[in-house]
Amino acid sequence: QSVLTQPPSASGTPGQRVIISCSGSDSNIGDNYVYWYQHVPGTAPKLLIYRNNQRPSGVPDRFSGSKSGTAASLAISGLRSEDETDYYCASWDDSLSGWVFGGGTKLTVL
Amino acid sequence: EVQLLESGGGLVQPGESLRLSCTVSGFDLSHYAMTWVRQAPGKGLEWVSSISAGGRSRYFADSVKGRFTFSRDNSKNTVYLQMNSLRADDTAIYYCVKGGNTTWSGLDPWGQGTLVTVSS
């Protein structure tokens, strides 16, 4: 059972916009930044969004993040076949004194 | 270019020990916190441990507390995860991750990971 809650799966057709949610609590998302990672199994996870809504250089502006209270979301617009993989949210948890992750969302591009 | 290279993974029996190393390049290790994250087969990402830039503060997931230790040798650009009393549920790919100037200020980039298999 992950501390942060994500839907296990999401899907969309090419060109569509998909939103992946991440729900936490006051001790993590409510008080700290949210980070989003794209993970192709067998490779190093890639940072997509940092500090709730900032995009590292090289990450397409199709990816965007937002946070409100104890929840966050990752939006992917203009969906492409190469977006089909796993996505994780993460945040520091003040009560646990450690990082917490969502259980991951497997995105399928239909 | 920032790079992290994990090593030391392998097959061990339950109860045995293993030490993972993560050698970094492209940045001054002494200024950054470091973290280990693992992924068990078919499971999601799980935080294991973090160490502050100066090494004074160490944090561990409950699942490894008392069995794992985290150390750093900035002069060798290397951090270490000493894993004792290994159990089958420690089987995972272990990723070394660069943090920010504090343990809670981000995780990026990640190494390619090293596989630890605990099995009799």
Side-chain angles (χ1 to χ4, degrees):
Chain A
Q1 194 91 8
S2 302
V3 174
L4 303 182
T5 301
Q6 294 180 238
S9 63
S11 63
T13 57
Q16 267 191 336
R17 183 171 184 254
V18 169
I19 296 177
I20 297 173
S21 62
C22 175
S23 176
S25 65
D26 289 338
S27 63
N28 42 68
I29 293 178
D31 235 20
N32 294 289
Y33 291 120
V34 177
Y35 300 78
W36 288 92
Y37 297 91
Q38 180 187 61
H39 187 208
V40 177
T43 70
K46 174 187 175 184
L47 179 67
L48 286 179
I49 298 291
Y50 67 100
R51 294 189 178 185
N52 304 332
N53 55 18
Q54 302 300 302
R55 229 178 5 259
S57 60
V59 172
D61 59 6
R62 302 187 297 108
F63 295 91
S64 62
S66 65
K67 171 185 146 177
S68 177
T70 59
S73 62
L74 172 71
I76 308 172
S77 59
L79 205 58
R80 304 174 68 163
S81 58
E82 58 259 41
D83 298 333
E84 183 167 293
T85 190
D86 302 324
Y87 294 84
Y88 293 88
C89 58
S91 183
W92 179 264
D93 191 296
D94 293 328
S95 296
L96 298 175
S97 292
W99 286 91
V100 291
F101 287 87
T105 298
K106 183 175 183 59
L107 176 62
T108 300
V109 181
L110 303 169
Chain B
E1 181 191 4
V2 173
Q3 291 189 326
L4 301 91
L5 182 63
E6 304 95 336
S7 60
L11 173 63
V12 295
Q13 296 191 344
E16 292 187 339
S17 299
L18 206 57
R19 188 179 80 159
L20 304 184
S21 300
C22 173
T23 301
V24 309
S25 60
F27 67 99
D28 186 343
L29 180 61
S30 66
H31 292 163
Y32 295 93
M34 296 293 291
T35 289
W36 289 94
V37 176
R38 68 185 180 184
Q39 184 177 36
K43 302 291 186 181
L45 300 175
E46 178 192 17
W47 171 72
V48 175
S49 181
S50 296
I51 189 169
S52 62
R56 290 186 178 181
S57 298
R58 296 170 173 86
Y59 307 94
F60 297 91
D62 286 344
S63 57
V64 306
K65 202 172 291 183
R67 300 187 299 122
F68 289 14
T69 58
F70 198 164
S71 61
R72 61 193 299 155
D73 186 339
N74 293 332
S75 66
K76 295 184 178 179
N77 293 318
T78 302
V79 297
Y80 306 95
L81 185 68
Q82 177 67 42
M83 304 185 296
N84 300 329
S85 303
L86 282 163
R87 311 186 303 221
D89 61 2
D90 293 318
T91 295
I93 297 173
Y94 285 73
Y95 295 98
C96 174
V97 196
K98 175 181 173 288
N101 55 359
T102 65
T103 50
W104 53 87
S105 51
L107 296 172
D108 182 64
W110 300 50
Q112 290 295 318
T114 186
L115 178 62
V116 172
T117 303
V118 184
S119 174
S120 55

